[in-house]
Amino acid sequence: MTDRYAVIGNPVAHSKSPRIHAEFARATGQDLQYGSIEAPAGGFARAVTAFRAEGGKGLNVTLPFKEEAFALCAETSERARLARAVNTLVFEQSVFGDNTDGVGLVRDISANLGVALGGKRILLMGAGGAAQGVAGALLEAGASELVIANRTAARATEFAARLGIKSSGYEALRAGFDIVVNATSAGLAGAAPPLPAGVLAPGVLAYEMVYGRDTPFLAAARAAGARACDGLGMLVEQAAESFHLWRGVRPPTADVLARLRRG
Ligand code: NAP
């Protein structure tokens, strides 16, 4: 029987994950089906249990269920525990949860964009699930400094204290970062975090996790002469890591990313 996987979230109709995993399966000769499940608020655990009972082998978890997924797992990886959020479920004897967002971002920046993270000063904006999912991986990749800034300062303080790093209000930020990662959802609402002038500048990599649209952060980065990149590569790379967890095979990502960019 063909192994079944899916992405679960709400909303989920826009998700590119079914296309990405179908392309990975083709490229690696793996026999699998990958669908999408829209779970209602309050119905996440029930939907996961039903999919598993029908023989499903694993799930990708997206907004707003990553924290709920973490709570549901019998076992979790260290990186999922650090993030307190799970984006990949593996169904074996028990339910195992992992978080592949961090490795996805690190691979996109280092392998696809060609920017080594070792010794870099990084500003991470946001304190939600996405920021929490990537902070540990950025530190592990050798960042010399990681500063967290968030609209709700108390969330940034708590998050930074947990990792033993610095947090800052937006207004107190100064120039000097090599990489600025926008892990906020501001771009979805046509807004950008209030960065002081000078933080985005020539030589800075401005990384926007939102993909599929031009955002005010990307526009501000370009206007300031920074290198502006969206989060499509991270999406493909986190999917590749999930695929590897499920199938034990690492799919090639460059062609899939290029095709997604073409639309
Ligand atoms: P989330 O848990 O809802 O957190 C949203 C974050 O954005 C919070 O820190 C929030 O600040 C901040 N924020 C929202 N509006 C803002 C504004 N106008 N100005 C400044 N800060 C604002 O969401 P998430 O799961 O972390 O996801 C964040 C984004 O990353 C989403 O847009 C998602 O699409 C994207 N993402 C991309 C990938 C990828 O593979 N490319 C993977 C994961 C996530 P407060 O704490 O003050 O509310």
Side-chain angles (χ1 to χ4, degrees):
M1 221 173 82
T2 301
D3 289 344
R4 290 174 56 220
Y5 301 86
V7 56
I8 183 166
N10 190 339
V12 86
H14 66 286
S15 174
K16 296 185 191 300
S17 293
R19 176 172 167 192
I20 293 171
H21 283 280
E23 294 214 22
F24 286 167
R26 249 195 315 278
T28 56
Q30 294 279 309
D31 181 23
L32 61 87
Q33 276 178 10
Y34 190 107
S36 63
I37 300 169
E38 183 159 310
F44 173 72
R46 208 174 323 117
V48 170
T49 305
F51 184 71
R52 190 176 176 214
E54 290 160 10
K57 297 285 186 190
L59 287 167
N60 279 133
V61 182
T62 187
L63 278 173
F65 297 126
K66 290 184 186 181
E67 285 83 7
E68 235 180 291
F70 176 68
L72 173 145
C73 295
E75 289 173 76
T76 48
S77 65
E78 198 184 332
R79 56 196 185 186
R81 290 193 292 278
L82 197 62
R84 296 182 187 169
V86 152
N87 77 338
T88 309
L89 294 171
V90 185
F91 301 141
E92 289 171 343
Q93 302 293 77
S94 63
V95 178
F96 173 76
D98 201 349
N99 190 313
T100 66
D101 280 341
V103 72
L105 175 66
V106 165
R107 287 220 183 100
D108 192 36
I109 292 177
S110 55
N112 298 338
L113 302 175
V115 176
L117 285 153
K120 294 294 194 304
R121 295 187 62 200
I122 303 178
L123 169 63
L124 179 59
M125 303 189 293
Q132 303 210 29
V134 303
L138 291 172
L139 288 170
E140 215 169 86
S144 61
E145 188 178 13
L146 182 65
V147 176
I148 309 289
N150 191 50
R151 180 177 59 182
T152 308
R155 287 185 85 191
T157 312
E158 187 276 330
F159 173 28
R162 189 149 53 80
L163 291 168
I165 58 176
K166 275 193 266 181
S167 64
S168 169
Y170 283 112
E171 65 297 334
L173 293 168
R174 297 290 171 263
F177 293 102
D178 302 300
I179 302 174
V180 177
V181 178
N182 185 11
T184 77
S185 53
L188 297 179
L195 270 180
V199 175
L200 296 174
V204 172
L205 172 65
Y207 193 98
E208 167 70 274
M209 276 200 199
V210 169
Y211 52 84
R213 66 175 80 197
D214 198 21
T215 65
F217 173 73
L218 287 171
R222 286 195 303 271
R227 181 178 177 190
C229 301
D230 76 356
L232 194 62
M234 172 179 169
L235 180 78
V236 172
E237 296 298 339
Q238 62 79 29
E241 184 74 5
S242 297
F243 192 92
H244 181 248
L245 276 169
W246 292 326
R247 311 299 298 181
V249 181
R250 193 167 289 288
T253 53
D255 286 354
V256 176
L257 181 53
R259 274 196 293 278
L260 280 175
R261 287 222 181 276
R262 285 199 294 271

